[in-house]
Amino acid sequence: MVQYRALVIALILLLSTTVPEVHSRSLSDRGRRDWMVYPDALASYIYEAVNTVSPRAAQFLLDVSQTTVVSGARNLLIRETTKITILVEQMVEKIRSIWNGKLGY
């Protein structure tokens, strides 16, 4: 039972989100910088699958996903991936300017 609970908590930490948030927008509607779209969608599918089998377990998943620890971890991931995305976009722009400058495109 302890291993099962630890597995569920680890899964929630990795894929946590609120269900209405995932259903509010489709995968194609989200921006390029939102790297959490895929874990959010996966968490939604897992929640729906668990809910069909055991609504009590699904409620447990939902309750745990809305704790401050999970929200804080999720916000940290969002903040850091946004920083990385901005840096990558800046690097790509620099490479394009160098490529266009030297080759004259």
Side-chain angles (χ1 to χ4, degrees), residues 3 28 33 44-45 51 59 65 68 76-77 82 85 90 99 104:
Q3 289 177 342
S28 61
R33 289 188 179 169
S44 174
Y45 298 141
N51 193 33
Q59 184 61 42
S65 71
T68 56
L76 175 71
L77 283 172
T82 301
T85 303
Q90 290 173 351
W99 182 266

Side-chain angles (χ1 to χ4, degrees), residues 6-65:
L7 177 64
V8 168
I9 291 172
L11 180 65
I12 290 169
L13 284 173
L14 289 173
L15 307 171
S16 69
T17 187
T18 58
V19 177
E21 179 183 334
V22 172
H23 290 291
S24 65
R25 294 183 279 172
S26 69
L27 292 177
S28 61
D29 291 343
R30 296 188 179 211
R32 251 180 51 194
R33 289 188 179 169
D34 192 2
W35 288 11
M36 296 301 287
V37 66
Y38 300 109
D40 287 351
L42 184 59
S44 174
Y45 298 141
I46 290 171
Y47 172 80
E48 290 173 3
V50 170
N51 193 33
T52 58
V53 174
S54 172
R56 187 173 171 205
Q59 184 61 42
F60 172 75
L61 287 175
L62 190 59
D63 292 342
V64 171
S65 71

